Amino acid sequence: MKRSVKAKELSAGKLRWRCPISTFDFKTTRELKPCLDIIGQDRALNAIKMGLNLRHRGYNIFITGLVGTGRTTTIKHLLERLEKKEPIPPDMCYMNNFKNPNTPHYYELDAGKGTQLANDMDGLLEELKKKIPAVFRDDYYKERRKKLVEEIQAKQKRIISAFEKKIGKEGFTMIRIQTGPIIRPELVPVVEGNALNFQQLAQLVDEGKFPRERFEKLREAYERLSEELGHVYLKVKELERELNQKLEKLNFDTVQPVMHESIHEIDQRYKNERLSKVLAEVEKNLIGKLHLFQAGEQEESSNEKQLPMQVQGVERDPFREFRVNVVVDNSDTKAPPVIIENFPTLRNLFGVIERDFAYGGFTRADHMSIRAGSFHRASGGYLVLNALDTLMEPGVWQILKRTLKSAEALIQSYDPFSLLGSAIKPEPMDIRVKIVMIGDAYMYYLLQAYDEDFKKIFKIRADFDNEVDKRKNIIMQYAGFVRALCDREQIQCFDRTGVAAIVEYGVRLAGRQNKLSTRFSEIADLIRESDYFARTAKSKLVRREHVEKAVKARIDRVNLIEEKIQERIDEGTLMIDTKGAVVGQVNGLSVYSLGDYMFGRPSRITARTALGNSGVINIEREADLSGRTHSKGVLILAGYLRGKYGSEHPLVMSASLAFEQSYGGVDGDSASSTEAYAIISSLTDLPIRQDIAVTGSINQKGEIQPIGGVNEKIEGFYKVCKARGLKGTEGVIIPTRNIQDLMLHDEVIGAVKKGKFHIYPIEHVDEGIAILTGVPAGRKSKTGKYPAGTVNALVKDRLIEMATQWRQFAKESKGEGHA
């Protein structure tokens, strides 16, 4: 039997796409125009433009795609380039509701008018602080006030004098007694020129020093005169109220023209019907609090009531209720606002009602305590949010949905961990904002499936691709991107070889020779790092060698785990053979993904077959170490074996498969062809070459399907073979359909050129087993037979033999049972 099979190999030219220098008609990027366009995202751009221009409710935008594909950069770029035809959003203000202070009034004024109104109100108060005290200091006002006071005091004096004469004739006098803070008049008898109370008189009566009859008459007179004293006291109080009313009227008549004139000027300046009503309330309440403008009374009030009027150690503004709170000031806004909220907490996004803490632990809040969030500041414009951050913040998603559905935003006090709530509930704000949310496809599909409101409020999806067709114009845009980044970050210019190396790296990232990656954050990082190596070498231009050094340095920073695994292989702890041939043992290729780095390494896959009816046993699955995709691959493998070898007789076989020295779990179906080779080798006793590693998934027809990570797998086995010294026979079997994905490192390509390493593309299991065993697989003839001595014939014969042995064993077992 001939033990060699001529296999098709890939030439070095097919192992990597190289960017032709002739593609570029420049010597350095300095000659290029910077590319400020978004590269390769036409689908997403069209969706975003449509979403931004549709002003109907619900047409918010959800952007999906991989991190680093330029999602945030794109939306910033587009929003900055929007036509400035949209109107400037208004200022948003809150003013005190004098009838119901717990529901502050909300007003919208033209951009800049809100701040102007706040300044006008502050100016009004300052003006009144000067004018009203001046009015009160005027001689004419003082004379009128003095005349009113003297008139009432004269009436009071006449009433009191008449009453004092009356009680004096009956042997009484009137004294004033202080009871706590209250001073009240009291009648006491006069005996021998001395005022004595009735307790003292009673003692004199008991001692016989005062006639009892006269004592009783004084008591009767006291009761009668005390009642009259009450009437006199009421008359005096009535005169005091009359005086206060006249003084208030005097104050009103004196101050109202001054105040009305100032407030009317503000009213005429804005000509807003709702604002006019509030200004009327302001005037009414200011006149009711004229004592705030009287300097003497104000100082006295400040001295006597300093503690209650202080908030957090600062004296509270006595005119706070008359001021305007401009929660959103658009006075400097020249275009619809674009707000990018990187910290979408409840406070940051939807505002808050702050609480002022006073002495004694009391809190208070009013219209001046209201603070707007980024959602309100973006009204009339655009708000950009990160989907994951928004969903993770407690309560944000539900409130965002309610706000978008109702188009009204209500600022509340959100503090679930505090017992000190706020009683005020401001009037809701009319909000017209376009939300742009950036997330990934998985999150988008989850929200579509499980949130009924999501599809109503996010009707536009912009999906960013992570790759783009490798066309000449795209390659030139790559070069323009390099120039733009160099200009923006003061990076040295690239020559043509440097740009070509950057483009090739983009192809490697994309994973296919006919594609370029759009993960420009990684491309930009490589450009920066290449500039570092150029400067280190004191080169005025960034060339290919600097880019290659940057790529190597990037790998060196993150490949510690890869080196540790290589050490275990070199010292024999991880058992990998790269020479000789072994029955039932194949070198499969695995990919390790560490997030920021991915590398390949060989794994020993073994198979043992025996007589039985258990079929293919996946040891990894039995040990709960097999992922779903790997388990599916093993089941497909079993289907292939049954279909190819079990059509004429039952497969009486038990085959166990294992990834040796694998303890962390296995997933993916790229080893299914490798497992097929191991089982076939075990059945036929044909040894498998250990200097060849294998990757590729299998379908039930035995066709080899493409897999991922083909570059990393090839390079991983190459490194193992290189560490042991290349003999010239080593190589890797890959699916033919993966040829277009090859972007191997130059070192591997050099070894292939020298014949030190080989890459075999195959399309069917038969091709692979022939390479690994050196025995032709054999094709079935018209009679349904395989050529003698071929792999398939040996498998068929062995399976027939096992079936015969199984029948014989079953017959003998049945006979023994009857015996």
Side-chain angles (χ1 to χ4, degrees), residues 409-641:
L410 180 64
I411 299 179
Q412 298 176 343
S413 180
Y414 306 105
D415 193 355
F417 303 105
S418 175
L419 300 176
L420 303 173
S422 174
I424 73 170
K425 183 180 179 182
E427 292 179 350
M429 309 165 74
D430 296 328
I431 297 295
R432 298 166 297 280
V433 62
K434 179 78 69 175
I435 302 294
V436 180
M437 188 165 284
I438 301 174
D440 55 37
Y442 181 69
M443 188 177 300
Y444 177 84
Y445 293 131
L446 280 179
L447 292 170
Q448 279 279 350
Y450 296 107
D451 194 324
E452 295 180 356
D453 298 323
F454 178 73
K455 59 189 69 176
K456 299 176 184 178
I457 57 178
F458 285 94
K459 297 182 179 181
I460 298 291
R461 179 189 179 185
D463 199 6
F464 276 67
D465 200 351
N466 62 338
E467 61 184 25
V468 63
D469 290 339
K470 188 192 68 187
R471 302 187 300 270
K472 183 176 179 180
N473 65 315
I474 299 295
I475 293 175
M476 292 305 299
Q477 285 182 320
Y478 248 65
F481 172 78
V482 175
R483 168 63 195 273
L485 188 66
C486 290
D487 289 350
R488 188 166 61 248
E489 300 188 10
Q490 290 78 50
I491 292 173
Q492 294 189 121
C493 291
F494 280 59
D495 72 354
R496 291 187 294 178
T497 63
V499 174
I502 293 293
V503 173
E504 290 172 18
Y505 183 79
V507 174
R508 167 90 180 203
L509 272 183
R512 299 169 67 186
Q513 290 186 4
N514 61 345
K515 297 288 184 179
L516 275 168
S517 175
T518 57
R519 293 157 62 185
F520 286 102
S521 62
E522 290 196 37
I523 301 296
D525 289 342
L526 181 61
I527 293 171
R528 298 180 185 106
E529 293 163 18
S530 301
D531 173 65
Y532 166 78
F533 284 100
R535 292 180 186 274
T536 302
K538 297 183 179 179
S539 173
K540 294 182 179 180
L541 291 174
V542 182
R543 309 180 190 277
R544 174 181 285 275
E545 58 264 28
H546 304 132
V547 178
E548 291 174 349
K549 282 184 180 180
V551 172
K552 185 178 183 303
R554 175 174 291 191
I555 294 173
D556 291 342
R557 291 197 299 269
V558 294
N559 71 340
L560 177 63
I561 300 298
E562 180 184 18
E563 290 184 354
K564 293 295 182 184
I565 293 175
Q566 182 63 49
E567 286 178 10
R568 300 296 182 270
I569 293 174
D570 292 343
E571 64 190 19
T573 304
L574 289 177
M575 300 166 63
I576 299 293
D577 291 334
T578 57
K579 62 182 178 179
V582 180
V583 172
Q585 178 177 301
V586 189
N587 284 326
L589 291 171
S590 303
V591 169
Y592 296 77
S593 180
L594 305 178
D596 58 347
Y597 182 58
M598 189 168 68
F599 64 93
R601 277 295 179 267
S603 298
R604 176 178 287 183
I605 298 175
T606 59
R608 298 299 298 269
T609 55
L611 199 63
N613 60 0
S614 299
V616 179
I617 302 170
N618 180 3
I619 292 177
E620 308 301 322
R621 180 181 179 185
E622 299 298 320
D624 289 332
L625 292 175
S626 176
R628 291 182 295 181
T629 307
H630 177 254
S631 297
K632 178 184 177 182
V634 174
L635 294 174
I636 290 173
L637 162 63
Y640 163 71
L641 294 175

Side-chain angles (χ1 to χ4, degrees), residues 42-108:
D42 293 343
R43 182 198 307 272
L45 286 175
N46 291 334
I48 293 172
K49 288 177 181 177
M50 179 181 179
L52 293 178
N53 289 314
L54 278 171
R55 308 308 298 177
H56 305 286
R57 184 180 297 183
Y59 281 90
N60 299 296
I61 304 168
F62 195 100
I63 297 178
T64 59
L66 293 178
V67 174
T69 53
R71 300 170 302 171
T72 305
T73 303
T74 299
I75 195 62
K76 286 181 182 178
H77 185 68
L78 287 178
L79 291 176
E80 288 171 358
R81 286 180 143 194
L82 279 176
E83 295 185 9
K84 311 302 182 183
K85 295 180 180 179
E86 295 292 331
I88 305 301
D91 288 348
M92 301 178 181
C93 311
Y94 276 102
M95 294 183 69
N96 185 34
N97 183 345
F98 292 97
K99 293 181 180 178
N100 185 4
N102 290 331
T103 310
H105 289 306
Y106 169 70
Y107 298 94
E108 289 185 357

Side-chain angles (χ1 to χ4, degrees), residues 220-275:
E220 291 176 4
Y222 174 79
E223 297 294 337
R224 175 170 45 79
L225 292 174
S226 292
E227 184 176 352
E228 290 184 23
L229 176 60
H231 293 301
V232 170
Y233 186 74
L234 289 176
K235 288 180 180 180
V236 171
K237 284 294 181 184
E238 185 65 32
L239 288 172
E240 286 184 5
R241 282 193 290 271
E242 181 183 346
L243 175 60
N244 289 333
Q245 291 174 359
K246 289 183 177 182
L247 290 176
E248 287 179 3
K249 187 175 184 308
L250 174 62
N251 291 341
F252 178 83
D253 293 341
T254 305
V255 172
Q256 195 272 340
V258 176
M259 188 176 293
H260 179 75
E261 180 183 359
S262 299
I263 293 177
H264 183 69
E265 287 180 8
I266 297 175
D267 188 18
Q268 290 300 305
R269 194 173 299 151
Y270 295 93
K271 295 183 179 179
N272 184 302
E273 184 176 350
R274 290 192 65 211
L275 183 59

Side-chain angles (χ1 to χ4, degrees), residues 168-219:
K169 291 178 180 179
E170 299 196 27
F172 286 89
T173 188
M174 188 167 59
I175 63 173
R176 288 175 174 79
I177 298 177
Q178 184 167 353
T179 305
I182 301 173
I183 299 176
R184 60 181 181 83
E186 182 63 46
L187 297 178
V188 294
V190 178
V191 178
E192 296 179 356
N194 295 320
L196 302 175
N197 58 38
F198 279 96
Q199 186 177 358
Q200 293 171 324
L201 279 179
Q203 187 176 355
L204 292 176
V205 170
D206 292 340
E207 294 174 357
K209 296 179 180 180
F210 192 80
R212 184 174 294 277
E213 295 81 5
R214 188 178 174 191
F215 175 78
E216 293 299 335
K217 288 181 180 179
L218 286 174
R219 286 192 70 89

